Amino acid sequence: MNNRIQFVRTFLPVFIFIFGMGFNLSLNALNVPSGYQLHIFDGETGEPLIGATIVSESGLYQDITDLDGNSEMPNLNFRDIITISYIGYETLNLPVYEIRKLQGRIALFPDAMTFEEVVVIGRADKKIEEIPYVVSRIKSEEIQFKNSQTAADALSAHSEIYLQKSQLGGGSPVIRGFEANKVLLVLDGVRMNNAIYRNGHLQNAITVDNSVMDQIEVIYGPGSLIYGSDALGGVVHFRTKDPQLLFGQNESPNKVNTNVYGRFSSANLEKTFHFDMNFGMRKFGSLTAVTYSSFDDLKSGSKRTEGNPDWGLRQFFFQRIGGIDQIIENTDPTIQAGSAYGQLDILQKFRYQPNDNFYVIANFQYSANSDIPRYDRLTDTLSSASKLKFAEWEYGQQRLMGSLKARLLKPTWLYDNGTIIYAYQRADEDRFQRKFGNLRRSFQLEEVHINSLTLDFEKALNSSGSNQLTFGVDVNRNSVTSIAGNKNIISQGISGGQLTRYPSGGSSMDQIGAYMDYRWRSQDSLINVRAGLRYSNVTLDVLYTDSDIIIWPAEYYTGITSSNDNLSYAAAITYNSRNKLQARLIYSSAFRSPNIDDFAKIREKNGYVTVPNPRLKPELSPMNLELTIAKEFGNIKTGTPGAGLKLSGTSFYTALDDAIVRQNFVLPDGSTTLSLDDEQLTVQANVNALKAYIMGLSGNLLAKFDENWSAQASYNWIQGEAERSEGENAPLAHIPPKYGGIAITYQKAPWRFEGNIRFNAEKPIEDYALGESDNESEALPTGTPAWTTFNFYSKYQLNDQISFNFGVENIGDIHYRPFSSGISAAGRNFIISMRGAF
């Protein structure tokens, strides 16, 4: 296996911060000068606190902070005590002379017992109550508690997302029946979806390091208004931690915080090691993080209840011994030989904040895998179950990102606050395969360069802020190069004769969009109304060369251009009653323009070859209708006295026109088959179906019995069909079976325990989209069986620095394979980790 792990050397500059302040109290200068200004701000984020209450013990000074978090303090005795309070924050009592030593800059920190945290969501850091969609937020503490191996696993373990896996090194999130390039992945405000994100199963979520995650935000439903194309099913926003500055009353010139942890999992002998260090000063901060993981072959469950004793067993695997390909009998067929891989993740962030009105964050991230075995392809067989089709099938990926994010917090005539993000990304995706007994190892190497710029602004249209306007612009350019060939594993000679996956002459995708979103809030804040419009344009350019083994029409060699534009809209109304009843109705449209992968990919799988279709059009969703009703009873805040209950339910319906599906097709010369590597393949292409629809229901329950005990439950049902020809409907691909979970949690320092159940209903074969991405060849002849797992997690906090976690997943050690997956899930899995914070 080629080692693709590349270490990136990160140089941390040495900063010398000279801090000096003269302070001289005397009997002749006991008073603060008149008009001394205070600035009250959040000690964790640096954001100004608007409406903080300030009262002096003498009664001579009472005020609340303005829109900038400021207040003018009058002339007071230096011993007078000033009380500063803000809802959800710890109250601070400071003498005037201490305030003067701090130059009037006062930091308040969240109250761990009563704080109703201000949660920001999405690219522009909007407050969660301002988002008109259903949002799941997975906090870093929850990711650490469950000890998810990858960011994709964290999504599956903590939210209503369904996860597909083609191999161990993967995880393709499914949101409301949409998957892959119909779900938008965003990392620190930068869209990860690029020109070659495919419409089958997408494994790129694992390139995000969940060890440095601050939170993962899942925004359900179409997000085309803000994000443009690709957000049909929803948006997954990975938000990594930012450098922390030295706020508050700390007189030290800097502060260093270090976190380390190690984790071991038994099912695949996972060994993960992580280190991060935060260096904070008053105006400058740095965060450095490194994570390395090694995963051995995954062991599946031994208890088989599906009625087929051999399904999912790895009876044979490949080894090359003495220069000869050989099939080796697996002594333990539950070990899925050929699934192991490793991963390295590096993050470096710098934050510079010269004042309270502006800060900038430089963000550098690098992720690389060893070559990941495509387990679903390595288990393909020919005429005999013991005759493997492939000796090698490996998938390699690297991701490099550099971004610069500026937050503008000083109101102007144009905006009250703004966010500007410029980013450069490079994504490498490589495929290597060799058929059993063949000396030629084919390769396809893809390289994508992405430059993007987003500008988001917010402006209050009246003094109370009840009328607000959000607007923005985003541009994005993708450049794709694709090469292919064959390499003799003996002579190391390179030869051609291999199809490039994407146009051999190069290709590009340009996106531009602008949006405007108006929000009105009633005076009592019980009713919120939103309405917005977005214009988007996506242009594709592809070019082929005459060296291709397929003879293309003449226009393919001079270049093909496809340009699509769209006007999307969204409207939402939310009602919040005083007795904690919430109702939300959303009506919107969305679209997804074909990218290079949809438009021009050439790919072989399971006896089919997918070829370009220049007539492919965008898939449109002219109507998305969503209704959510939620009700709270009592007190549901964790860790506080009293009992409470929250019930919520969401129903949704999405209509699709020109939905992109895969169907049989013809080559430019009229042929319906193509000969490749001595195999006759049936030609297919992505085409626009007439119509399709997806509808579903989800229900959630949160119960708090007292300050220690709580319970959660969720259930999801989704259905989708596509109209292939007049009057004929067929199942739509990517629709998961009914699924959900139940969890009970006990928490009392220093312990936390959770027991949960995860379940999936069966997926009958008649509900599969045959020949598409549902991978019916990986299921039983009757479909995917139902399954249920029992799991246990625990945490012990030894002291302020050290904690231990222990968990057992799939306690019953049952064998199961999630719908459309190409690898069976882990059997009984023991997890142990140790964390230190210094």
Side-chain angles (χ1 to χ4, degrees):
M1 179 180 295
N2 295 332
N3 182 12
R4 299 179 53 81
I5 297 293
Q6 300 182 15
F7 290 93
V8 176
R9 180 176 300 171
T10 304
F11 294 96
L12 292 178
V14 178
F15 291 87
I16 300 176
F17 185 87
I18 302 175
F19 178 81
M21 182 174 65
F23 182 74
N24 182 24
L25 288 174
S26 68
L27 294 176
N28 296 324
L30 298 182
N31 296 325
V32 178
S34 179
Y36 197 79
Q37 181 171 274
L38 303 188
H39 178 68
I40 314 301
F41 60 95
D42 185 305
E44 293 184 351
T45 68
E47 300 279 349
L49 295 180
I50 303 169
T53 301
I54 306 172
V55 179
S56 68
E57 188 178 51
S58 64
L60 299 175
Y61 175 36
Q62 297 183 16
D63 196 12
I64 60 172
T65 54
D66 60 18
L67 292 174
D68 296 319
N70 296 331
S71 171
E72 292 293 330
M73 186 170 70
N75 187 17
L76 299 172
N77 185 282
F78 83 109
R79 288 193 179 92
D80 203 349
I81 302 298
I82 306 297
T83 300
I84 305 169
S85 60
Y86 191 76
I87 296 176
Y89 287 72
E90 295 179 349
T91 298
L92 202 60
N93 297 293
L94 291 175
V96 169
Y97 65 83
E98 285 290 345
I99 292 176
R100 192 176 182 191
K101 288 166 67 176
L102 294 169
Q103 298 182 332
R105 300 185 76 254
I106 311 299
L108 297 186
F109 290 87
D111 188 330
M113 291 300 297
T114 64
F115 178 50
E116 189 68 33
E117 57 187 322
V118 178
V119 179
V120 293
I121 298 292
R123 186 177 72 199
D125 298 338
K126 303 289 289 183
K127 293 181 180 178
I128 193 168
E129 60 267 21
E130 297 178 4
I131 303 293
Y133 304 102
V134 176
V135 178
S136 291
R137 187 171 67 102
I138 310 169
K139 297 186 288 186
S140 60
E141 295 85 356
E142 293 302 311
I143 297 174
Q144 294 172 11
F145 180 66
K146 294 284 181 65
N147 273 298
S148 303
Q149 293 186 353
T150 68
D153 293 331
L155 286 171
S156 176
H158 296 89
S159 67
E160 298 172 39
I161 285 183
Y162 195 88
L163 196 70
Q164 183 276 349
K165 285 193 176 186
S166 298
Q167 65 269 342
L168 176 60
S172 184
V174 183
I175 302 180
R176 293 186 174 178
F178 291 99
E179 187 183 358
N181 56 20
K182 296 177 179 64
V183 170
L184 183 64
L185 303 183
V186 179
L187 175 60
D188 290 331
V190 179
R191 64 183 291 140
M192 294 177 64
N193 291 44
N194 59 46
I196 65 171
Y197 266 37
R198 51 195 177 275
N199 64 359
H201 306 296
L202 201 63
Q203 315 299 330
N204 299 65
I206 70 166
T207 66
V208 178
D209 183 9
N210 66 345
S211 298
V212 293
M213 208 59 58
D214 182 51
Q215 65 183 28
I216 303 175
E217 305 147 13
V218 183
I219 304 172
Y220 296 89
S224 289
L225 180 65
I226 305 299
Y227 293 97
S229 181
D230 299 351
L232 283 179
V235 179
V236 179
H237 186 194
F238 300 102
R239 185 187 296 268
T240 61
K241 296 176 181 178
D242 286 336
Q244 297 299 303
L245 303 185
L246 187 65
F247 289 123
Q249 286 71 54
N250 196 324
E251 296 185 5
S252 171
N254 60 69
K255 186 177 182 180
V256 177
N257 298 98
T258 302
N259 296 284
V260 295
Y261 81 81
R263 181 175 62 230
F264 172 81
S265 301
S266 64
N268 56 1
L269 302 182
E270 177 213 10
K271 296 167 283 290
T272 292
F273 303 95
H274 169 82
F275 165 85
D276 69 68
M277 181 179 70
N278 187 92
F279 174 77
M281 302 172 72
R282 295 287 180 183
K283 296 183 179 181
F284 173 83
S286 168
L287 176 63
T288 305
V290 179
T291 305
Y292 176 75
S293 296
S294 173
F295 307 99
D296 210 335
D297 293 331
L298 181 65
K299 183 178 177 65
S300 64
S302 62
K303 304 295 191 304
R304 315 181 65 79
T305 61
E306 303 94 349
N308 186 325
D310 297 325
W311 183 51
L313 291 179
R314 181 71 149 139
Q315 304 283 9
F316 304 92
F317 61 93
F318 154 82
Q319 275 191 358
R320 188 167 178 82
I321 303 174
I324 301 175
D325 289 351
Q326 298 188 28
I327 292 178
I328 307 298
E329 184 176 354
N330 193 355
T331 57
D332 184 354
T334 63
I335 295 179
Q336 299 173 97
S339 56
Y341 78 103
Q343 180 163 323
L344 172 70
D345 294 287
I346 297 175
L347 175 142
Q348 176 62 60
K349 282 188 174 183
F350 299 106
R351 175 171 178 162
Y352 175 65
Q353 184 166 343
N355 54 55
D356 299 317
N357 297 319
F358 172 80
Y359 68 82
V360 63
I361 295 177
N363 184 357
F364 306 94
Q365 298 186 32
Y366 175 76
S367 176
N369 307 109
S370 63
D371 286 342
I372 300 174
R374 274 292 303 268
Y375 185 80
D376 58 337
R377 306 305 301 272
L378 290 174
T379 55
D380 285 351
T381 57
L382 297 174
S383 56
S384 169
S386 62
K387 190 173 183 181
L388 298 174
K389 181 177 179 180
F390 292 100
E392 303 175 48
W393 215 122
E394 295 171 338
Y395 178 78
Q397 56 186 8
Q398 296 183 71
R399 181 184 60 83
L400 175 68
M401 184 185 86
S403 71
L404 201 62
K405 173 181 176 178
R407 282 282 282 157
L408 314 175
L409 303 174
K410 183 176 182 179
T412 69
W413 67 270
L414 179 63
Y415 60 84
D416 293 331
N417 62 76
T419 305
I420 301 174
I421 305 175
Y422 167 75
Y424 166 77
Q425 298 178 81
R426 171 176 166 169
D428 293 349
E429 292 190 2
D430 305 331
R431 294 165 177 83
F432 306 95
Q433 64 183 60
R434 183 174 66 85
K435 290 189 174 179
F436 189 87
N438 197 321
L439 297 180
R440 288 185 309 165
R441 187 178 194 248
S442 67
F443 59 85
Q444 292 178 315
L445 311 179
E446 330 301 339
E447 189 175 292
V448 187
H449 297 266
I450 309 110
N451 287 275
S452 62
L453 177 66
T454 60
L455 300 93
D456 298 285
F457 300 100
E458 185 177 89
K459 180 67 177 178
L461 302 180
N462 59 358
S463 58
S464 67
S466 61
N467 290 272
Q468 289 190 339
L469 188 66
T470 302
F471 55 97
V473 176
D474 51 82
V475 294
N476 187 293
R477 177 170 177 81
N478 289 232
S479 300
V480 183
T481 59
S482 184
I483 62 175
N486 295 287
K487 183 176 183 179
N488 188 293
I489 63 173
I490 302 298
S491 67
Q492 303 298 305
I494 304 294
S495 61
Q498 185 68 30
L499 283 168
T500 58
R501 185 176 176 89
Y502 301 110
S504 53
S507 53
S508 65
M509 179 175 75
D510 296 299
Q511 299 173 299
I512 185 169
Y515 74 92
M516 185 173 293
D517 185 22
Y518 169 76
R519 177 189 176 213
W520 173 83
R521 184 183 72 244
S522 64
Q523 187 173 3
D524 56 10
S525 299
L526 297 182
I527 300 176
N528 283 269
V529 177
R530 301 190 71 133
L533 289 172
R534 177 190 175 90
Y535 170 78
S536 300
N537 177 269
V538 181
T539 301
L540 305 178
D541 290 289
V542 301
L543 181 67
Y544 293 86
T545 62
D546 55 13
S547 60
D548 291 349
I549 62 177
I550 298 177
I551 300 175
W552 303 109
E555 62 267 23
Y556 282 48
Y557 302 122
T558 57
I560 302 174
T561 297
S562 172
S563 183
N564 301 296
D565 56 7
N566 177 265
L567 187 65
S568 303
Y569 61 85
I573 181 169
T574 303
Y575 171 72
N576 296 282
S577 74
R578 298 188 188 279
N579 63 350
K580 301 181 180 180
L581 171 68
Q582 183 184 78
R584 180 191 298 124
L585 180 66
I586 303 174
Y587 186 86
S588 64
S589 68
F591 90 112
R592 198 189 74 80
S593 184
N595 62 12
I596 297 298
D597 186 272
D598 300 304
F599 188 77
K601 175 176 65 179
I602 302 175
R603 177 215 189 194
E604 174 273 326
K605 185 180 180 183
N606 295 337
Y608 296 92
V609 60
T610 305
V611 299
N613 177 13
R615 295 184 295 276
L616 194 64
K617 299 183 297 183
E619 37 190 358
L620 304 173
S621 177
M623 182 184 72
N624 299 278
L625 191 60
E626 179 179 326
L627 174 65
T628 298
I629 297 177
K631 171 65 175 173
E632 287 186 24
F633 304 89
N635 174 23
I636 63 168
K637 185 172 178 57
T638 304
T640 59
L645 176 68
K646 180 178 181 179
L647 300 172
S648 65
T650 298
S651 62
F652 63 90
Y653 179 89
T654 299
L656 288 172
D657 290 345
D658 298 321
I660 296 176
V661 298
R662 196 178 303 144
Q663 290 184 1
N664 289 344
F665 204 65
V666 295
L667 292 172
D669 63 2
S671 302
T672 59
T673 61
L674 175 68
S675 180
L676 185 66
D677 288 340
D678 302 323
E679 189 175 354
Q680 203 72 11
L681 305 171
T682 300
V683 174
Q684 289 190 330
N686 288 323
V687 301
N688 295 104
L690 295 179
K691 292 181 182 298
Y693 77 87
I694 296 177
M695 63 181 181
L697 297 168
S698 66
N700 291 274
L701 176 149
L702 171 61
K704 184 170 78 73
F705 307 111
D706 56 32
E707 59 185 310
N708 304 124
W709 287 94
S710 62
Q712 290 178 293
S714 66
Y715 179 81
N716 300 273
W717 171 83
I718 304 170
Q719 178 179 306
E721 289 186 341
E723 184 179 323
R724 303 303 176 90
S725 59
E726 291 294 341
E728 180 184 343
N729 285 0
L732 197 63
H734 308 290
I735 304 299
K738 295 181 282 290
Y739 65 98
I742 302 171
I744 297 178
T745 303
Y746 174 82
Q747 184 168 350
K748 185 176 182 180
W751 293 98
R752 179 183 175 185
F753 302 99
E754 179 181 310
N756 69 38
I757 301 172
R758 299 179 61 211
F759 60 86
N760 270 222
E762 66 172 337
K763 174 84 171 181
I765 198 68
E766 57 266 23
D767 291 340
Y768 275 64
L770 301 178
E772 295 195 43
S773 302
D774 284 356
N775 295 338
E776 67 272 12
S777 61
E778 301 292 344
L780 289 172
T782 56
T784 299
W787 54 266
T788 301
T789 64
F790 297 85
N791 313 281
F792 171 78
Y793 304 94
S794 66
K795 176 183 177 181
Y796 175 68
Q797 189 74 42
L798 179 64
N799 52 42
D800 291 341
Q801 288 79 37
I802 306 296
S803 65
F804 298 90
N805 287 74
F806 174 76
V808 188
E809 296 176 327
N810 192 1
I811 295 172
D813 197 33
I814 68 162
H815 173 265
Y816 69 100
R817 179 170 290 192
F819 161 67
S820 79
S821 294
I823 187 170
S824 297
R828 185 182 295 116
N829 183 31
F830 294 94
I831 309 168
I832 185 168
S833 68
M834 177 180 176
R835 298 178 182 271
F838 308 99

